Every structure is written in C-alpha cells, then in structure tokens.
C-alpha cells in the first residue's frame, strides 16, 4: 500500500527531507552526470529528485500511482506530472531514455506488470535507476520516514527482481548513512557521515540505488524450408503372361499380316 502523497510531500519539505533530497541527488548525479537531449521519466514519488534534470534533459515527466495520489509539480511552471496506474503507463513503446523509480517497488502490489511497463516504454539503450529502502538499514526500521513503510530490499533481492523482469544490473551505490533523526548535529554533519559510511559501512545504508539497462534478446534469422516436391506414384500396368498374353497379341499379329478378316479372327475359334 502506498503512502499518501500529502505525507510524502510534507516529509520532503521538512528539514530532514531536505537533507535526504540532497544526499540522494548526489548519488543519482554520479550515475547520471549528463542527460542532455534525453527524456527522463519519474515513477512513484520521484519529483524531489528530478529538478536537477529540468534544465538539462530534452523532457522531464513524472507519473504518480493512482493509489498514492498526485500533487502539482513543478510549482513555478507548467505541470509535468500525470496520475496513472503503474501497470498502464500513458506512453508509447520505446519513448523514454531514462526512468527513475523512487517509492515504487516497495509499495506496489503489481510489481511484475509495473516492471513490464517500464521495460516497454524504455528505449533500446534506456537505463533505469531504482531507489529502495535497505532491509539492513536503520531507515527501514522506523516509520517516521517514507523509507520505513512498504517492503524493503537487500541488494541481492533488488538484483534478482531486475533480472527476473529483463533488466541487467549495471552499477550500484547507496545513501543515507546518517540516522533518521532531526538532530541539528547529524543534519549538519550529514555530508561527512555519508562519505564515511559509503567507504566503510555500505551494508547499513538507508537506501540501495541500482542502475540497470534494458535487456533485449537478439533474434536469429529463420531458414525458410521449401516444401519437398512429391512425385505422383506411377500406376503399374497389369502383366500378361501365358495364354492371356497370346490372346492379347494375336489380333495385332493377324492385322499386321494383311490377311482378309484381319483383326476379326478369334484365336479361340477353330477353322
């Protein structure tokens, strides 16, 4: 079940949410340093992390699940968010270059249909980034943040989900090593704690971030086999032997001799 969109918006507007936004954005930019000329789609509640791409990408869009609700974004310009079902994305095939999935996998009740839709709308060289709560992290153990709701994932579980839905995990990173508290000390030192945790305590990150590519199977040309020509079976002529053969050939012999009544003589009739 999804968090309500109002709760998500209020969290990311809070001081702790601002820190989370900054730390996760840093990791996303390490994976996608340049999206110039590309079309970026956010699914779930990804709008807090899409702003850096607004002035760089060709187009930025977002879809929020109907069960979660939708809020207008961005506030200073035309709306770029649509409300829809994650299993029926309102985009044509291979129309998106990048997909950012945040607060989606851990909440959806239609995981496979959603992943199939993401695969469908991604272009051939498309990339997906999935951000999910870490099962071993402390952020998944408290319900004071959105990462404490839904079903958290370990890195291995996330890789298996991606592979099972025709995605190839390429790179992975993690974020949120600071505790989920509103302490000014921890929020002020969040950058230093993040660097220390990324180096020594990767297993205890608050979120796992995995980039995956779309897997496309190569098709092999099928050899056209021409149908074999079948010869019509020959009809065997009946064989004649003995007296029957003589009766068949005698009229021809008589006719060829030129005798009167040739062809009329019955070989069985005695003169």
């Amino acid at each position: 079940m999804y968090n309500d969109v109002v709760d998500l918006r209020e969290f990311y507007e809070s001081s702790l949410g601002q820190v989370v936004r900054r730390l996760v954005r840093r990791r996303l930019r390490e994976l996608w340093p340049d999206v110039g000329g590309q079309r970026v789609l956010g699914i779930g509640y990804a709008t807090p992390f899409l702003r850096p791409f607004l002035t760089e990408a060709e187009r930025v869009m977002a879809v929020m699940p109907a069960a979660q609700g939708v809020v207008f974004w961005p506030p200073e310009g035309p709306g770029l968010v649509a409300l829809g079902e994650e299993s029926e994305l309102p985009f044509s095939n291979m129309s998106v270059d990048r997909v950012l999935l945040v607060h989606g996998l851990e909440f959806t009740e239609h995981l496979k249909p959603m992943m199939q839709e993401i695969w469908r709308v991604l272009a051939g060289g498309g990339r997906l980034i999935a951000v999910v709560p870490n099962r071993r992290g402390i952020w998944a153990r408290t319900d004071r943040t959105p990462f404490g709701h839904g079903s958290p994932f370990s890195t291995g579980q996330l890789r298996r989900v991606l592979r099972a839905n025709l995605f190839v995990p390429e790179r992975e990173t993690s974020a949120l090593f600071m505790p989920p508290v509103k302490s000014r000390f921890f929020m002020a030192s969040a950058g230093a704690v993040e660097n220390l945790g990324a180096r020594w305590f990767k297993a205890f990150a608050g979120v796992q971030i995995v980039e995956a590519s779309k897997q496309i199977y190569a098709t092999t040309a099928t050899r056209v086999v021409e149908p074999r020509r079948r010869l019509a079976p020959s009809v065997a002529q009946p064989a004649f032997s003995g007296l029957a053969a003589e009766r068949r050939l005698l009229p021809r012999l008589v006719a060829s001799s030129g005798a009167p009544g040739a062809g009329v003589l019955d070989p069985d009739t005695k003169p």
Side-chain angles (χ1 to χ4, degrees):
M1 185 176 183
Y2 284 94
N3 274 306
D4 188 82
V5 69
V6 176
D7 296 332
L8 290 166
R9 182 183 60 183
E10 290 179 353
F11 170 76
Y12 283 104
E13 289 177 350
S14 66
S15 56
L16 181 59
Q18 294 290 334
V19 174
V20 170
R21 183 183 309 196
R22 185 176 72 252
L23 297 177
V24 176
R25 277 182 184 175
R26 180 193 301 178
R27 300 305 181 193
L28 295 178
R29 292 303 280 180
E30 291 175 358
L31 297 175
W32 291 349
D34 182 19
V35 294
Q38 298 181 341
R39 292 155 292 183
V40 180
L41 170 65
I43 299 178
Y45 193 79
T47 51
F49 312 102
L50 291 176
R51 183 169 292 277
F53 306 128
L54 278 176
T55 58
E56 185 178 311
E58 174 190 334
R59 184 175 301 174
V60 175
M61 307 159 287
V63 173
M64 295 186 181
Q68 169 191 286
V70 64
V71 292
F72 187 85
W73 183 87
E76 71 279 2
L80 301 175
V81 182
L83 182 69
E85 296 291 343
E86 67 269 32
S87 57
E88 296 181 6
L89 297 177
F91 302 102
S92 58
N93 297 346
M94 304 179 69
S95 59
V96 176
D97 301 299
R98 297 286 187 270
V99 172
L100 178 60
L101 180 60
V102 186
H103 297 305
L105 279 178
E106 67 267 31
F107 291 122
T108 184
E109 297 177 355
H110 310 284
L111 190 149
K112 194 170 186 65
M114 180 181 70
M115 298 302 294
Q116 290 175 343
E117 278 293 279
I118 294 175
W119 192 94
R120 179 184 65 82
V121 302
L122 266 179
R127 296 284 175 135
L128 162 70
I129 286 183
V131 181
V132 298
N134 180 17
R135 181 177 293 277
R136 299 179 63 181
I138 59 176
W139 288 73
R141 302 175 186 275
T142 175
D143 59 359
R144 289 179 294 178
T145 74
F147 301 102
H149 298 264
S151 301
F153 290 80
S154 66
T155 306
Q157 289 173 331
L158 181 55
R159 289 199 210 100
R160 286 192 291 271
V161 167
L162 293 171
R163 291 195 187 100
N165 291 279
L166 300 182
F167 288 95
V168 181
E170 301 286 353
R171 295 181 292 175
E172 60 185 54
T173 185
S174 50
L176 303 186
F177 293 92
M178 59 170 287
V181 296
K182 298 181 180 180
S183 168
R184 291 186 179 181
F185 170 78
F186 283 109
M187 288 190 289
S189 57
V193 174
E194 199 75 6
N195 295 333
L196 183 64
R199 185 172 182 179
W200 300 105
F201 306 102
K202 292 182 179 180
F204 301 101
V207 295
Q208 301 287 357
I209 304 172
V210 175
E211 182 192 31
S213 59
K214 179 178 179 178
Q215 181 178 2
I216 301 177
Y217 288 102
T219 58
T220 57
T222 56
R223 183 169 61 92
V224 179
V225 180
E226 296 183 357
R228 294 181 178 180
R229 296 181 179 180
R230 296 185 177 181
L231 298 177
S234 60
V235 180
Q237 298 295 329
F240 296 92
S241 60
L243 182 59
E246 294 179 359
R247 289 180 178 179
R248 182 178 179 84
L249 295 176
L250 184 58
R252 298 181 183 177
L253 296 175
V254 174
S256 61
S257 65
V264 181
L265 181 64
D266 185 355
D268 292 335
T269 304
K270 296 182 178 180

